[in-house]
Amino acid sequence: MDNLVFKALSDPNRRQILKLLGDAPLSASEISREFDLALSTLSGHFKLLKEAGLIREEKKGNHIFYSLNTSVLEETLNLMMEIFKKDKPNIRNIKQEGS
């Protein structure tokens, strides 16, 4: 898993963009209405999300539409679930038991 995915997910504005796209693809202008950010700032967020593979971009006429790339999101979720499995031994408990 590319660290770029985690970098992209670390920002609350980018997470909000992903939430908005969870319902349906949206144009850049539709997304921008939900934020009090300069369009250039949002463009930077879109760029990083695209580079991380979390969203797709499609140009239709003069508009750019964004949608979730669910395969990368599923892969990230699976990795996170693997990392935080509850049935894994807790390293703190192991250290305490060995003391």
Side-chain angles (χ1 to χ4, degrees):
M1 176 78 35
D2 192 343
N3 286 336
L4 198 52
V5 171
F6 294 107
K7 180 179 179 181
L9 293 173
S10 71
D11 183 87
N13 290 313
R14 291 189 288 267
R15 291 192 305 265
Q16 182 62 29
I17 291 169
L18 294 174
K19 284 182 189 178
L20 291 170
L21 294 174
D23 293 329
L26 296 170
S27 70
S29 61
E30 290 171 318
I31 294 169
S32 71
R33 289 186 212 129
E34 301 294 324
F35 294 89
D36 188 24
L37 298 171
L39 194 52
S40 60
T41 302
L42 274 176
S43 292
H45 288 308
F46 295 144
K47 181 180 181 206
L48 186 57
L49 288 166
K50 285 188 306 183
E51 288 174 356
L54 295 170
I55 63 173
R56 293 188 177 115
E57 173 185 284
E58 183 180 348
K59 294 180 183 182
K60 292 182 181 178
N62 293 333
H63 299 282
I64 299 173
F65 286 84
Y66 294 96
S67 61
L68 292 179
N69 182 356
T70 55
S71 61
V72 172
L73 288 168
E74 287 174 7
E75 183 180 329
T76 303
L77 180 58
N78 287 334
L79 174 63
M80 297 300 291
M81 290 174 64
E82 184 66 30
I83 290 171
F84 296 109
K85 268 187 180 174
K86 290 186 179 186
D87 60 350
K88 277 188 172 181
N90 184 325
I91 199 155
R92 289 185 205 153
N93 292 342
I94 293 171
K95 286 181 181 179
Q96 289 172 356
E97 290 171 6
S99 300

